Amino acid sequence: MEQEFTDFLVIGSGVAGLRAAIELAPHGKVLVVTKDVPTESSTEYAQGGIAVAMSDEDEVGIHGEDTLKAGDGLCREEAVKVLVEEGPERITELISWGAEFDREGTKLAFTREAAHSKNRILHAHGDSTGRELERVLLNKVRTFGSVKKYPFAFTIDLIVRDGGCLGAYMAKNGKVISLFAKATILATGGAGQLYERTTNPAVATGDGMAIAFRAGAVLEDMEFVQFHPTSLYAEGAPHFLLSEAMRGEGAILRNIHGEPFMKNYHASAELASRDIVSRAIISEMVKTKSSHVYLDLTHLDGDFVRKRFPRINLTCKMYHIDITEDLIPVSPAAHYIMGGIRTDLEGATSIRGLFAAGEVACTGVHGANRLASNSLLEGLVFGARAGIAASRHTPEAHSSLSPAGEVFRESASTAPRFSTSYREGIRSSLRKMMWEKVGIIRCAESLSIARDSLVQWEPEMEGAAFAREEQELKNMLTVSRLITEAAIARRGSVGAHFRSDYPERGGDGKRHFLWEKDTMSVG
Ligand code: SIN
């Protein structure tokens, strides 16, 4: 098997991975590996913005309080403190690298989203905030000769010896290679593709969580999946995100009879937290026997709406919806996973030499429910921290690097093993099942049906070839199982996790559930 050596391996090229690479660049050779093109990440699609306490009326302490409140008692307070205190510095730095956030006159323009008590959401080009971050970070990375990118390289597994991570096995150009590094950072993003309805891009298949789990890392809070209330629900259209900022600017939710309903569910109406709005929408959909509700912006100034949401406007137009004149059909969709690989404040995981940052990680910043627009900020703040910590990591003795690769030597084939229709059959059944049984509203019965199906499918994928599509499906099954087991374990409703059979918080309300391969333990 071919072997390659680098100083630092960064897997994933969204905000967290790129920000980490920038810290690593002065310390050695950095390889940024992605399974697709570098811009194909959740960051690129993030619309609404990036929360930061920088307006005249705001304070980092208030941002911290809002974050803790949204997290419903399960945030790690020290992580929240780091996020809100280091956030302004990371944003100022980003602006100095060329980020163009929208302004009112010469001042930065801050908008409001659900559960924020102040206007603190920065946005760029109206609704293309993530794309602007990706542009600026990629440009910055290009200024370092020490950083090299490997697109279309799929990470199969981590190379772990004696509790230390030595790099990863990759499928690249039809071959499997061993890639050795002094330190490895996982920044592979989330797992929205586990669900039939999701705002996430096709790459979000939970790969980083699955490979870390197989390598023996500890994962945490896997039951907490955030569903965004408003994704486009139109014939033939993807579940394109309709940013919460639209409700922040005054959009109203109506059921299919045209009746506004959010005031019947919560005093904050359209700006209640995402779990409340998503459940209210599901309840209206059930009551009206409909597959969607509507988002209404028709009462707002048309020019303002077009200017404020140019990307959404253009996308909806492709499906013959004029967002200034028509009611937009919407339904909730899986959006973000709060759980992931457990890390400390420096991004260190339970495996030496392995770091994680961004959505794949569980820093504890989001607790049981993420405050809107905190994820890009988390990627910047904790991506930088993980980069700094990885640059200081003292690696394993070099001699232990050489014998690796034996696992794959005999069978390193990247040719698919299953037919496309067979694989796609399992994939779509899995996504439908996760949506229906492990979705917004869960109960013991639905979760047990899900577990039974997963237990049946898992052995099928054990023999998956090292082809991207088959490895992705294997990873999706692993992460689905973790979410399902965690949802079964938590007999109570906290944050984004709602059990209809345990609607109260329950005795476990303050606990975190930890998951590890050897024990599948609950901690
Ligand atoms: C949105 O624009 O509604 C998404 C922002 C986020 O999920 O933080």
Side-chain angles (χ1 to χ4, degrees):
M1 183 186 293
E2 254 179 54
Q3 301 191 342
E4 284 191 37
F5 295 81
T6 185
D7 291 310
F8 306 108
L9 174 61
V10 178
I11 305 173
S13 58
V15 57
L18 294 178
R19 189 60 193 78
I22 290 166
E23 291 302 329
L24 291 166
H27 302 279
K29 280 195 293 175
V30 185
L31 199 53
V32 179
V33 167
T34 61
K35 67 176 174 179
D36 211 288
V37 292
T39 47
E40 197 55 24
S41 68
S42 292
T43 298
E44 176 74 13
Y45 296 89
Q47 296 176 1
I50 182 159
V52 66
M54 285 173 74
S55 77
D56 295 343
E57 58 156 17
D58 206 358
E59 288 169 30
V60 292
I62 307 176
H63 186 187
E65 279 162 25
D66 289 348
T67 302
L68 291 170
K69 200 164 158 209
D72 205 5
L74 284 181
C75 297
R76 275 201 279 284
E77 285 193 31
E78 62 281 16
V80 172
K81 196 164 180 295
V82 165
L83 177 85
V84 298
E85 286 183 355
E86 294 182 12
E89 195 184 327
R90 294 282 83 85
I91 295 293
T92 307
E93 166 188 81
L94 209 63
I95 293 171
S96 76
W97 294 342
E100 292 176 10
F101 291 111
D102 295 334
R103 289 177 183 264
E104 273 153 17
T106 54
K107 284 188 148 187
L108 290 168
F110 294 91
T111 190
R112 174 101 44 135
E113 285 181 356
H116 286 272
S117 60
K118 299 280 178 195
N119 285 10
R120 67 164 71 94
I121 319 296
L122 284 175
H123 42 93
H125 313 293
D127 52 7
S128 289
T129 315
R131 185 175 283 179
E132 178 64 1
L133 259 65
E134 190 74 15
R135 179 188 75 78
V136 171
L137 292 171
L138 275 171
N139 279 345
K140 182 72 184 169
V141 161
R142 282 189 198 107
T143 65
F144 296 101
S146 53
V147 184
K148 195 169 149 192
K149 292 194 242 23
Y150 263 11
F152 300 108
F154 189 87
T155 306
I156 299 165
D157 266 315
L158 296 167
I159 305 171
V160 177
R161 297 281 182 279
D162 305 324
C165 180
L166 308 179
Y169 298 109
M170 303 269 158
K172 187 173 186 296
N173 296 335
K175 284 186 297 196
V176 178
I177 59 171
S178 313
L179 224 158
F180 294 104
K182 291 179 195 163
T184 300
I185 299 186
L186 282 171
T188 49
Q193 286 296 324
L194 268 44
Y195 289 89
E196 187 177 43
R197 296 187 192 181
T198 180
T199 61
N200 290 187
V203 290
T205 50
D207 303 324
M209 293 173 207
I211 64 170
F213 181 71
R214 284 200 291 274
V218 174
L219 279 78
E220 183 178 22
D221 287 349
M222 294 301 289
E223 64 275 37
F224 298 122
V225 177
Q226 184 173 76
F227 294 86
H228 197 289
T230 55
S231 74
L232 183 61
Y233 191 80
E235 186 74 27
H239 298 287
F240 181 75
L241 177 69
L242 296 174
S243 176
E244 189 151 300
M246 297 177 103
R247 280 173 284 129
E249 300 290 1
I252 293 169
L253 284 163
R254 297 183 184 276
N255 65 21
I256 51 156
H257 304 304
E259 296 153 355
F261 56 83
M262 270 317 300
K263 285 215 167 78
N264 305 335
Y265 292 88
H266 198 274
S268 303
E270 271 73 8
L271 290 184
S273 65
R274 285 182 184 173
D275 58 314
I276 290 169
V277 182
S278 291
R279 284 200 298 277
I281 291 175
I282 295 289
S283 165
E284 290 295 312
M285 279 161 48
V286 170
K287 266 193 219 158
T288 59
K289 297 190 177 53
S290 166
S291 53
H292 62 273
V293 296
Y294 290 113
L295 190 65
D296 179 8
L297 286 85
T298 57
H299 54 290
L300 303 177
D301 177 69
D303 285 339
F304 166 76
V305 169
R306 275 186 289 271
K307 191 153 172 267
R308 179 71 181 80
F309 303 108
R311 193 170 177 181
I312 296 175
N313 182 33
L314 271 181
T315 308
C316 287
K317 270 220 171 102
M318 283 163 51
Y319 299 98
H320 312 292
I321 297 164
D322 182 336
I323 63 171
T324 65
E325 287 181 3
D326 302 323
L327 297 182
I328 315 169
V330 294
S331 107
H335 185 58
Y336 190 90
I337 178 158
M338 275 68 74
I341 308 162
R342 182 182 165 90
T343 68
D344 66 11
L345 297 182
E346 319 304 326
T349 70
S350 56
I351 296 178
R352 282 191 319 282
L354 179 68
F355 299 79
E359 192 172 349
V360 74
C362 182
T363 57
V365 149
H366 307 304
N369 207 1
R370 178 178 62 93
L371 185 67
S373 288
N374 262 355
S375 46
L376 291 176
L377 192 70
E378 187 199 22
L380 282 180
V381 168
F382 287 92
R385 286 182 150 243
I388 294 168
S391 75
R392 293 178 182 156
H393 175 70
T394 314
E396 311 298 311
H398 204 69
S399 59
S400 64
L401 295 183
S402 51
E406 62 273 18
V407 182
F408 293 111
R409 206 166 280 149
E410 303 305 326
S411 57
S413 165
T414 58
R417 199 184 136 216
F418 302 106
S419 71
T420 308
S421 61
Y422 180 75
R423 191 193 65 236
E424 280 306 312
I426 297 185
R427 190 181 160 112
S428 64
S429 305
L430 168 72
R431 299 182 70 215
K432 188 167 179 337
M433 183 205 72
M434 287 298 286
W435 176 254
E436 288 172 358
K437 310 290 183 207
V438 197
I440 298 171
I441 299 173
R442 304 150 173 189
C443 66
E445 196 190 342
S446 73
L447 293 168
S448 141
I449 295 170
R451 179 199 262 160
D452 289 349
S453 304
L454 288 165
V455 167
Q456 269 186 11
W457 287 324
E458 275 163 4
E460 301 284 310
M461 280 300 133
E462 278 311 311
F466 302 127
R468 169 174 164 179
E469 315 78 55
E470 294 190 12
Q471 288 294 314
E472 278 183 342
L473 183 53
K474 180 174 158 185
N475 292 340
M476 287 167 76
L477 287 168
T478 302
V479 180
S480 298
R481 181 74 191 279
L482 284 165
I483 294 174
T484 305
E485 293 296 340
I488 290 171
R490 188 174 289 282
R491 294 187 190 163
S493 294
V494 184
H497 171 70
F498 184 80
R499 294 260 317 233
S500 56
D501 49 351
Y502 293 102
E504 303 304 325
R505 198 175 175 91
D508 285 335
K510 284 273 170 212
R511 268 175 91 186
H512 292 274
F513 291 77
L514 306 181
W515 302 93
E516 209 177 343
K517 185 181 62 171
D518 290 338
T519 54
M520 274 295 247
S521 69
V522 176

